[in-house]
Amino acid sequence: MVAEESVRVVRCGGSELNFRRAVFSADSKYIFCVSGDFVKVHSTATEECVHILQGHRNLVTGIQLNPHNHLQLYSCSFDGTIKLWDYVDGILIKTFVVGHKLHALFTVTCAEDSVFVIINKGKQDIFQLVSVKLPKSSSQEIEAKELSCVLDYINQSPKCIAFGNEVCAAVRDFYLSVYFFKKKTTSRFTLSSSRNKKHAKNNFTCVACHPKEDCIATGHKDGKIRLWRNFDDDKKYTYTCLHWHHDMVMDLAFSVTGTSLLSGGRESVLVEWRDATEKNKEFLPRLGATIEHISVSPAGDLFCTSHSDNKIIVIHRNLEASAVIQGLVKDSNIFTGLMVDPRTKALVLNGKPGHLQFYSLQHDKQLYNLDIIQQEYINDYGLIQIELTKAAFGCYGNWLATVEQRQEKETELELQMKLWMYNKKTQGFVLNTKVNMPHEDHITALCFCNAEKSETPTLVTASKDGHFKVWILTDDSDIYKKAVAWTCDFVGSYHKYQATNCCFSEDGSLLAVSFEEIVTIWDSETWELKCTFCQRAGKIRHLCFGRLTCSKYLLGATENGILCCWNLLSCALEWSTKLNVRVMEPDPNSENIAAVSQSSVGSDLFVFKPSEPRPLYIQKNISREEVQWGVFVPRDVPESFTSEAYQWLNRSQFYFLTKSQSLLTFSTKSPEEKLTPTSKQLLAEESLPTTPFYFILGKHREKQDEKINKAFESELVQLPLTENIPAISELLHTPAHVLPSASLLCSKFVNSLLLSKETKSDEETLEDTDTEEEKESDDSDEENDFTEKILDTNNTDLGEDLLYQLSKSEEKELRKFRKVDYSWITAL
Amino acid sequence: MAAGGGGVADPLSPAGVPCAFSPLNQAYFALASADGQLRVWETANNRLHQEYVPSAHLSGTCTCLAWAPARLQAKESPQRKKRKSEAIGTSNQIDLLALGTAVGSILLYSTVKGELHSKLISGGHENKVNCIQWHQDNGCLYSCSDDKHIVEWNTQTCKVKCKWKGDNSSVSSLCISPDGKMLLSAGRTIKLWVLETKEIYRHFTGHATPVSSLLFTTVRPPSESQPFDGVTGLYFLSGAVHDRLLNVWQVRSENKEKNAVMSFTVTDEPVYIDLTLSENKEEPVKLAVVCKDAQVHLFEHILNGYCKKPLTSNCTIQIVTPGKGKKSTPKPIPILAAGFCSDKMSLLLVYGSWFQPTIERVALSSKEPHMCLVRDISNCWAPKVETAITKVRTPVMNCEAKVLVPGVPGHHAAIKPAPPQTEEGESKRKLGENEISIEERLGALDIDTKKEKDDLPQTNSFPVLLTQGLESNDFEMLNKVLQTRNLNLIKRTVLRMPLHAVIPLLQELTKRLQGHPNSALLMVQWLKCVLTVHASYLSTLPDLVPQLGTLYQLMESRVKTFQKLSHLHGKLILLITQVTASEKSKGMTCPEQKAKLVYEEESSEEESDDEIEKDSDDNWDEDDEDKESEKDEDVDEENEEEEEDTEEKDEENGEDRDVASEKELNGDSDLDPENESEEE
């Protein structure tokens, strides 16, 4: 079933959604956001992803609706192209090749056929706003090289450019430049205070233009918002200040009508300034994370905020959040590494500050954030927060151990370990034991004994204070309640070295703890030191036991780039190799171990069995960046790759996280196979359901539609006829230089296009004329003129068609017929 | 997917609410409730995904629903070959949901857009729609109704493709064969239609009541010898209203056999049926049947030919409430649906009310014949609007959680008695001796109290009270003594208290030190006194280390801030107090002089005690200098013993005190850290 393709690295969801402002469709039904190399189309009602627009080969840096066709979307990318999409069907319409690296995209209604982009010309940090003329052509790929510079030396962020009523405003550092399209001039306004005071953080951060009036709003680093007016005069310009934010204003947006201004920043509060006055403020607080971008739907009924924790909140006009589009949270550092929750099979890692996020890989969406720290998070720069540093699941997901720490100074370490039990009755985690300062220094490793036969759950913590502690679950019942709680069972150390890693063997009988360069093996029954291994090859960075048939091996990777494999039976080094291992992960379903090494060019993957020093599979350069974490995720349904190189992917899938926090995995399916539908697309036509509104308006509209349809149908009938007319083919197929002049051809050609008379309609008209001839004499001339007009307007198609083709006798009759009185028609 | 039934009023209508899992990976669970609303739940996190109220929900409630087969996202790419961009993981999307209503119309609802996609009315049914089935390939939709007709819809044009009379009575259920060429319908009898010609291919009879569910169970015929035409040899399953038997039928090439091949027996009318298709001959069919009486029956059977006896289930799952208090009995929680996960090893269970169901993934184990899951769904009614937006779950943190802080037992490994090595028997014997000594202690208590009464009238009550309090563990009595702030009083009390009460007092102090910080402040004074005065006694105890381990850990953790400084401070204080004490004692008679005469131990025993102490000292993990001093101490103690022997002969008080104080000076080194707490 699966074609044997080469294994490729594929990005697996969770790319950055908050890189640029999200864009609403004209009817507010859809919201567009950039996501890595793609543009995602989400439904604002259901948060679901409706389409993924893919085609760019590099990061998408800007999206805008086509101002001339609101069913189309422009996108620009670092790959130097602007693409035009039909977002309703998810189809790429056109590609414009610009050539430069495009940093942002703007469209303006008044500019007919050009868009504005930010490009980087020459030096590193000098950016230009240029307008690009998009040539009209029917071909798919068009070169658009006609660039004209609008503003020079601007900030690269699209937040620092705004288009208004025939003006374009750009901010950078301490000045605001305004370009007037009509005058083609630029004025520049510099903030004076910036020169005098050293710490006046007057830097401009963002800019927005009023949609109707001549007003520009700018945000500043010190939290002020300035509203600039009269800026077409270099001397008489004025500005007013709005100040609520205590920290940098991250983004500004005017509502569609311009009556209110929205601002947001690190406080994660959306502020709505009504009528641009300081008194009339509305707030939407507790949005969870720093507001990065604000955008407003063209219909005016929705806002949305993009947040630093990779989410987009859709907000109603009355400041009520209605939907959240949440990607993999990327705000904080990943300390916990990647884990798999045995219960939900979800990927677990650091999420929002103080939370663990559960991310479903199958559905590529976040399940939930588990609030571990349970303290209000204060969004402020420079605050030292409690961080969730370690987490581990034990006993088939029945236990969760978490470690949180906060360190303000060298000596003031706050540590807390929490042990959560999964309560089946309520289907949630319940805190069982809280340990303050489990160790005197940072905890470096945390692991549960996950052996099947172990009776008492066991947890081991290793710390920099030179000890490792063994915690076991014991009975904590008293006369009031029956309970279990964790207590420390054993404290071990080895010559005051820092304990750096710990891990249990598969059957739980041995515990390996590494103390800097030395690996110690302890019997888990008696906690006796069994033996030590020392390779003198640098501190141990990773440690893991082999599994299944390879359970007699212990692997250790050191910081000096040596990978060692010890045989536990002979207590000797089995093999060692030079490999700078960054990530080493055992596969829970097989003997395989994946190691990712870091070299100057990129990261390489090695999959091997501990019993053989030769790797099963090598993939060079899986990522340009450093790979920080990896994990094997068991597959629900095993794959069946027959080729030996890919057998390691049969039962588990390897996911890894790079330094820039993109989650990647391996896939063998070719891109084509992924793209072409395996089953036929189910495309059901949308048919309008009947609503009460429809009953009122519908009938009226139905009649109109019918009329149009009739006309349309008749056209459709005519179309095949035109193809058969010899005059057309003659005209089209004769070379132009042979043809006589157009004036000669014209009448003949037009005549040939006319329909030959239809007998039925002719008869009808004739009958009519017969009956109405009788009244002919009674009528005045004035009325005749009037009726003629009616006739003309009513039967233009029919009349004209017929007029030219009637024979002479008929023409005579028609002349008579023109004098006939039709006044009775008006009476009808 | 199995389909539930519809209305409630009709006695012959199937039980349960119309609900279904989305195809492929069961990401969603759609449920059409009796109030006419459609709710779609996310199965992975039990969250309400969306809610939809059809405009005519009151007149035409939803009677059946079916998910459209998963479609792949439209990916038109004019330059496909050039493109190297990487696809996002899941490209196939579940979208359309077909809803049949009581008035005969069929609605197509798009779960992605959250709006009605289209409405199939014209030329359709005139009566209640009983069952809807999507064709897996060509996008056709089949529906059957109480108006006796089966309709084939073209969903692309939303028009009727074909409509034919399916039965003489209402048609209650439909199922499309795995190859997509045949259609099963159930009215009075079960009929197999050829879809192309709409002709009857086979008849099956056997159910007395309307058939509520039809499902094909196999995709391959059991014997691979004869050529497979797509349907011959396949098994299918049927369940009926008010029928506790599920019948299995086989489509045979010859048209003679019309009866069921075998049957499964369940406890009540089936509400929802799901099964895993068996792909080959060896693989058993797994069947999950949700019954009206809130039980799920699991069957696992390889279908091969006849079986006269109805099969009973391999496993039964029930979900019950925990039952508040001891009296109330647990009540069963209704189960709405059960669906197999894609790994076929776990089951998704939907239970609770249809208004707020709970969706749980339960791992199946083949061993247990009966699974009873206790679930508390009482808090499910709490509003979840907030979590729907923020997607934050707050795990429960209540006061029942145990808190371990440094110094509390359990935070650090308990200091166990020295590992019994060769002289295990001996140590046991010693323990026994200790136990006996309790009686002796009681005896000694009386003597002591008497003595104290006689000798020291001014502080008579305090040591007595203290000892009595410790013996009886009387909280108030102890409070009276221990909450004194007078330093001199404390000193005198400690000095005059009987020796056997020292360890209980220390344990009591440890307990109180772990408590409120204010009381700890007072206790520190006591502790300081006890340790300085009775250091010599403590150093002689063989099992001191395990007995005072927690106290040691407590102090260790409390003096952590300036460890070295407090070590030094403690040592200096000890020295000074000992020196002053020895100077004072020169002129004073010791009240405990007589107690010293109790020594009757043999020297050999003493030595063994020392050994134990040495061993246990190693556990203290102390600095090297401590160890050195311990050695000194050992030597001293030996000397001391000799001297004590001589003591008995000499009975010279003054000298005796000197020696004792000397001994204390040296012997205290192993208790140094304890003394350091004094400065706090």
Side-chain angles (χ1 to χ4, degrees), chain B residues 128-161:
Chain B
K128 192 180 96 182
V129 182
N130 282 326
C131 185
I132 298 178
Q133 287 289 323
W134 288 84
H135 195 279
Q136 50 265 54
D137 302 323
N138 58 14
C140 281
L141 186 76
Y142 295 89
S143 63
C144 62
S145 159
D146 273 354
D147 67 0
K148 304 169 193 174
H149 281 82
I150 301 172
V151 175
E152 182 182 25
W153 299 88
N154 184 345
T155 51
Q156 289 178 14
T157 57
C158 297
K159 284 189 179 123
V160 175
K161 245 172 131 181

Side-chain angles (χ1 to χ4, degrees), chain A residues 38 46 48-49 362 369 488 685, chain B residues 28 86 90 93 112 393 410:
Chain A
F38 315 121
T46 64
E48 288 277 325
C49 178
Q362 294 162 323
N369 272 296
C488 180
E685 189 185 287
Chain B
Y28 300 106
E86 289 145 352
T90 51
Q93 201 180 28
V112 169
R393 272 195 198 177

Side-chain angles (χ1 to χ4, degrees), chain B residues 452 456-465 488-489 492-493 496:
Chain B
E452 278 160 21
L456 306 153
Q458 74 271 41
T459 54
N460 60 346
S461 59
F462 263 60
V464 179
L465 270 177
N488 275 329
L489 191 61
R492 267 170 288 170
T493 316
R496 283 172 179 79

Side-chain angles (χ1 to χ4, degrees), chain B residues 200 355 432 560 679:
Chain B
I200 295 175
F355 178 71
K560 204 157 274 170
E679 65 166 34

Side-chain angles (χ1 to χ4, degrees), chain B residues 443-464:
Chain B
L445 178 78
D446 293 334
I447 302 160
D448 279 357
T449 46
K450 271 181 200 167
K451 271 183 188 170
E452 278 160 21
K453 269 176 196 166
D454 295 338
D455 297 346
L456 306 153
Q458 74 271 41
T459 54
N460 60 346
S461 59
F462 263 60
V464 179

